[in-house]
Amino acid sequence: MLACFAAPSASTLPALFPTRIRYAALSIGFNLSVSIFGGTTPLVTSALVSATGSPMVPAYYLVVSGIVGLIAVGFLRESATQPLEGSPPQVDSTEEAKELYIETSAMAARP
């Protein structure tokens, strides 16, 4: 189960932020999320089990969390073929840089 989360996270999270703020934004966002949601999950689910009397509440909590995650994934933009925002182009010559610029400008102009 951890591999299903950890594998895509390592490539998806860095692509969400521009280069100049990537490390700070990634570490703050990830650690706050894990602390707030992961740290309080046992408290919240045990309180919900006590309030409802249903031992299935943790399962429902996981299902709702999964749905929220799927909705979030639906709003992610595809970045597999694009350079990371703020990263300089990786070229060997000025001519190659010009060709890359023309190519990416043409791709950006497409609807």
Side-chain angles (χ1 to χ4, degrees):
M1 291 297 287
L2 179 60
C4 293
F5 165 77
S9 296
S11 60
T12 303
L13 294 177
L16 295 176
F17 304 104
T19 301
R20 70 179 175 78
I21 63 164
R22 182 167 299 133
Y23 291 119
L26 180 60
S27 62
I28 291 169
F30 179 81
N31 287 307
L32 276 176
S33 300
V34 168
S35 299
I36 292 169
F37 296 105
T40 60
T41 295
L43 176 69
V44 170
T45 55
S46 64
L48 289 171
V49 167
S50 296
T52 63
S54 172
M56 292 298 292
V57 169
Y60 302 142
Y61 190 87
L62 284 173
V63 168
V64 170
S65 298
I67 291 169
V68 169
L70 283 174
I71 291 169
V73 167
F75 284 99
L76 286 175
R77 60 185 165 85
E78 178 59 62
S79 63
T81 60
Q82 303 295 318
L84 294 177
E85 185 180 336
S87 297
Q90 303 296 312
V91 295
D92 294 324
S93 66
T94 304
E95 292 78 27
E96 190 178 353
K98 288 178 184 177
E99 289 174 20
L100 180 64
Y101 177 76
I102 291 168
E103 182 182 318
T104 56
S105 297
M107 287 174 58
R110 292 182 198 157

